Amino acid sequence: YSAFREKDIAIGAYHFFRFDLDGKSQAQHFLHHLAGKEFQIPLVVDVEHENNPSVPREKVIDRLHAFVKEVKRQTGMKPIIYTNGIGYSDFISDDFDDHTLWLSSTNSWRPAMMDCTFWQFNIKADLSAIAHDVDLNVFRGSREEWEGYLKEHKPFKVSSNW
C-alpha cells in the first residue's frame, strides 16, 4: 500500500466472497481491515464457485446483495464485481448488471462477448521480476478513458469508525 502510494499508482482492495457466510458481516470485516486507508479504485468483491462450499443460488445472491449494500453504505460506492463466466451466469447476470464487471476469462470464451470494464486474461503469467506466477489484467479502454475512470471514481477513504 505505502509503496504504491509513493509511486502514485491507483490503489484498490479485493475481497473473496464466501458463499456460506453472512454478506453484511463479510463487508464489515473487509471494511474494518481497510479503515483509514485511501483508495482510487472502487473496492472489489470476488464471486466464484472455486474454493466455496455448495450453497443454494438464492442464498448466495441474498448474501451478496447484503455485502454490496453495506459497502455502498460505508463508502458511497458500489463495489466492482470480479467473476468468471460461470459465476457471472450463476449469480451476477440477472441481479447485479448495474455494477462494474471485472471478468476472468483465460480460455476461448472472451469478454468481447460481454460488457466488462476490466479483464483478467492470464492467471499464470511468468514475469522475470516476480518469483511466482501472477495474474494479468487490463482496463478495457484507452489511456484517456482510464484517466476519466479515475476522475469519476474520486479517491475515497474508508471510515475508521469501527
Side-chain angles (χ1 to χ4, degrees):
Y1 176 84
S2 298
F4 275 45
R5 292 228 12 162
E6 287 173 13
K7 295 186 185 313
D8 200 28
I9 296 173
I11 300 171
Y14 161 98
H15 173 77
F16 182 81
F17 189 76
R18 297 286 312 178
F19 293 175
D20 57 340
L21 298 175
D22 175 72
K24 182 177 180 180
S25 297
Q26 287 187 70
Q28 290 172 339
H29 178 80
F30 180 44
L31 294 167
H32 172 77
H33 287 281
L34 303 178
K37 292 187 170 57
E38 185 177 87
F39 299 94
Q40 295 74 39
I41 301 172
L43 303 178
V44 179
V45 59
D46 177 349
V47 182
E48 56 186 306
H49 287 282
E50 191 170 335
N51 297 316
N52 254 314
S54 180
V55 173
R57 177 183 185 275
E58 298 75 27
K59 207 169 241 191
V60 173
I61 291 171
D62 286 347
R63 290 174 177 164
L64 185 55
H65 273 295
F67 179 94
V68 164
K69 182 178 179 183
E70 185 65 10
V71 168
K72 184 166 185 205
R73 187 179 78 77
Q74 295 289 336
T75 67
M77 286 188 259
K78 293 180 212 172
I80 295 169
I81 296 178
Y82 167 92
T83 193
N84 54 28
I86 295 168
Y88 178 80
S89 62
D90 285 355
F91 308 113
I92 308 306
S93 66
D94 296 331
D95 293 275
F96 299 93
D97 59 355
D98 60 336
H99 285 257
T100 299
L101 180 62
W102 185 337
L103 183 65
S104 173
S105 175
T106 59
N107 56 24
S108 61
W109 184 73
R110 298 284 186 229
M113 304 169 201
M114 311 230 2
D115 182 21
C116 67
T117 303
F118 299 94
W119 175 30
Q120 181 180 63
F121 62 92
N122 191 328
I123 59 172
K124 293 188 178 202
D126 182 13
L127 303 178
S128 60
I130 301 174
H132 53 80
D133 289 345
V134 297
D135 298 340
L136 296 179
N137 302 271
V138 293
F139 173 77
R140 296 187 68 226
S142 67
R143 178 59 137 174
E144 292 77 24
E145 288 169 319
W146 173 244
E147 296 297 331
Y149 182 87
L150 292 176
K151 283 181 186 169
E152 178 185 339
H153 298 91
K154 301 202 181 323
F156 65 98
K157 193 175 238 181
V158 176
S159 171
S160 57
N161 298 332
W162 292 95

